[in-house]
Amino acid sequence: MRAVAARVLSASVTVDSRVVGAIDAGLLVLLGVHTADTPEKAAIMARKLFELRILRDEESCATSGAPLLVVSQFTLYGETRKGRRPSWISAARPEQAEPLVGAVVRELRNRGAHVETGEFGAMMEVTSVNDGPFTVLVEI
């Protein structure tokens, strides 16, 4: 499982001209699922994201109560070492990825996080105002 976590002043996801998820200052998380990922890895990823100390003053969502906007992003597993067209062979198929993205979101909420989401499989417009910018790659 792979995530790009960005500290943001605000972020939102729009699908078909309607906002489906939005946060003020917190973390925008683009989340990719690998073919070998499991529910156990989803739980680990949720804990990592919730406790990641990249907010101002080395705070985390756990310590500050900051929200997260989680957006499924299969393209994080695009393989670009050969040629000019990415290969998606390592990205989980939708029937595997959707439940695991949902598991990350559920686990975050179980930990007390305020979580907004995109819409799995939809063509989304993601808008963010990065803070810093401060962006990290988190892999499990």
Side-chain angles (χ1 to χ4, degrees):
M1 198 165 276
R2 182 178 287 166
V4 175
R7 185 174 74 194
V8 297
L9 297 174
S10 63
S12 65
V13 178
T14 303
V15 176
D16 295 330
S17 301
R18 67 181 165 81
V19 175
V20 297
I23 62 169
D24 289 323
L27 288 183
L28 169 61
V29 177
L30 305 178
L31 182 64
V33 179
H34 188 274
T35 57
D37 285 338
T38 64
E40 293 76 23
K41 286 187 177 183
I44 294 167
M45 177 60 81
R47 180 186 51 80
K48 264 306 235 202
L49 292 170
F50 192 53
E51 297 175 2
L52 192 62
R53 295 173 52 187
I54 65 169
L55 299 176
R56 295 209 176 237
D57 300 322
E58 292 190 22
E59 292 273 0
S60 67
C61 293
T63 60
S64 70
L68 300 94
L69 174 58
V70 177
V71 180
S72 177
Q73 187 78 45
F74 81 93
T75 61
L76 292 179
Y77 278 105
E79 177 60 55
T80 59
R81 291 178 209 201
K82 291 184 180 180
R84 295 174 288 153
R85 180 177 295 163
S87 165
W88 312 113
I89 196 159
S90 295
R93 305 272 314 146
E95 55 274 6
Q96 177 191 7
E98 187 172 14
L100 291 175
V101 170
V104 170
V105 170
R106 273 190 310 283
E107 182 63 28
L108 284 165
R109 288 179 177 150
N110 288 343
R111 291 175 171 274
H114 173 83
V115 183
E116 297 281 323
T117 65
E119 190 173 300
F120 190 92
M123 182 59 94
M124 296 177 273
E125 295 173 15
V126 180
T127 304
S128 67
V129 178
N130 287 17
D131 183 14
F134 201 119
T135 303
V136 297
L137 180 63
V138 180
E139 289 195 85
I140 303 297

